[in-house]
Amino acid sequence: MSRNERLIRRSLGDWVYESYIEVSLLAMMALVLLVIVGTIQQMRRARLRQTGKPQ
C-alpha cells in the first residue's frame, strides 16, 4: 500500500479507499481499451492504404 493509499484510508475511511481502488481499476481498463481500439484503427487504415481504397 502506497503512502497516498494509507493517507486516504486513514483520513477518509475504508469506503473511500475502496472507491479509489475501483475507480483506479476502471481507469486502467479504459486506458487498455483505448490502446487496443487505437491499434485496430491504425491497422485498418494501413490496410486501406495498401489496397488503395479511400477511407
Side-chain angles (χ1 to χ4, degrees):
M1 184 181 309
S2 74
R3 182 177 170 221
N4 287 343
E5 291 170 341
R6 279 193 301 271
L7 254 171
I8 290 170
R9 200 169 197 167
R10 283 186 197 150
S11 59
L12 300 175
D14 284 340
W15 70 273
V16 174
Y17 173 72
E18 290 171 6
S19 298
Y20 166 76
I21 296 297
E22 289 174 3
V23 168
S24 297
L25 286 171
L26 287 173
M28 188 58 81
M29 286 190 273
L31 180 64
V32 168
L33 285 174
L34 282 173
V35 168
I36 292 169
V37 168
T39 302
I40 291 171
Q41 287 178 342
Q42 286 180 346
M43 289 169 54
R44 282 185 177 173
R45 286 185 193 129
R47 192 179 321 140
L48 286 173
R49 275 190 228 118
Q50 286 178 351
T51 59
K53 293 179 184 174
Q55 293 183 12

